[in-house]
Amino acid sequence: MRVVVLRLGHRPERDKRITTHIGLVSRAFGAEEMLLVGRDPAVKASLDDVADRWGGDFRVVESVRWKDEVRDFREAGGRVVHLTMYGSRLGDVLDEVRRSPQVMVVVGAEKVPSQLYGLADWNVAVGNQPHSEVAALAIFLDRLWNGAELEEGFESRFPGQIRVVPTARGKLVLQHGDGSSGGGGP
Ligand code: SAM
């Protein structure tokens, strides 16, 4: 399944960190790109740097128009999930969402445009309490993949310069390219 994340409402003066985290979660949990309404070169540079060093071809596309992206995605056969605390229960829609070969996941910042509720195929709540777009996205993607994104096979899709070897204690990191490896305690 192809997954794309659309980030609405980014305010460069206050959302840098949270939008960066949306991108990090998107990449690490199996999305192929983050579309950003607005522009923030610092956020893009930081996510591009992670993709360069840690592998994969995750992309950040800035300055998109959300309505065009939603429309084009649906016209190309994809389905759109809008994460909102007001939506349907996650468990009630997941089976249906999984049947789509392409899914766009939309997350907001403050208030999202009310039109989005009508344009999305599903408005989905990760619990009906207000919390965070980062948490909602991570839980949604984890449930979507049934946890497979945390397994070795899934991660090996990102052969990068740096690779963590899971260890019970300490840190073991392989650096490709210069043949070195680093280790140590936390
Ligand atoms: N009142 C806003 C709303 O419409 O959901 C809450 C804004 S919240 C700070 C920012 C974003 O986090 C929302 O646009 C939504 O994508 C996500 N979010 C927050 N709580 C959520 C929940 N319980 N379920 C799904 N998404 C949630």
Side-chain angles (χ1 to χ4, degrees):
M1 180 193 290
R2 172 172 176 251
V3 177
V4 165
V5 172
L6 173 62
R7 166 59 159 163
L8 298 183
H10 172 74
R11 297 153 296 183
E13 65 289 353
R14 55 179 291 188
D15 291 327
K16 269 190 199 328
R17 196 168 151 80
I18 213 138
T19 299
T20 303
H21 284 198
I22 291 286
L24 291 171
V25 165
S26 301
R27 176 186 169 276
F29 287 60
E32 69 176 45
E33 66 183 358
M34 177 175 79
L35 307 173
L36 183 60
V37 175
R39 219 178 146 256
D40 194 323
V43 169
K44 181 169 165 47
S46 137
L47 291 165
D48 286 350
D49 179 59
V50 170
D52 280 350
R53 289 184 300 124
W54 289 84
D57 52 7
F58 183 78
R59 300 173 296 276
V60 178
V61 181
E62 298 178 289
S63 307
V64 304
R65 295 154 69 104
W66 75 265
K67 230 187 284 180
D68 293 351
E69 295 296 334
V70 166
R71 186 201 54 219
D72 293 351
F73 198 81
R74 296 189 76 253
E75 281 179 8
R79 313 287 301 274
V80 175
V81 171
H82 166 218
L83 294 179
T84 165
M85 61 185 278
Y86 305 106
S88 308
R89 282 182 214 283
L90 180 56
D92 291 345
V93 299
L94 261 181
D95 283 345
E96 210 185 335
V97 174
R98 286 197 192 104
R99 286 200 278 275
S100 177
Q102 299 189 62
V103 173
M104 173 182 280
V105 187
V106 187
V107 291
E110 235 171 14
K111 204 170 163 5
V112 302
S114 56
Q115 257 186 307
L116 177 60
Y117 289 82
L119 292 174
D121 293 284
W122 301 277
N123 294 290
V124 179
V126 181
N128 296 106
Q129 302 293 319
H131 50 82
S132 143
E133 52 270 50
V134 179
L137 179 64
I139 289 174
F140 175 80
L141 293 176
D142 183 62
R143 298 281 173 94
L144 183 70
W145 302 116
N146 264 326
E149 80 287 357
L150 305 180
E151 302 302 325
E152 164 77 21
F154 195 95
E155 206 183 27
S156 62
R157 292 187 319 156
F158 308 133
Q161 297 167 34
I162 311 175
R163 186 176 181 86
V164 170
V165 178
T167 45
R169 287 195 178 75
K171 301 177 184 171
L172 183 53
V173 180
L174 300 180
Q175 304 267 357
H176 292 282
D178 63 3
S180 68
S181 67

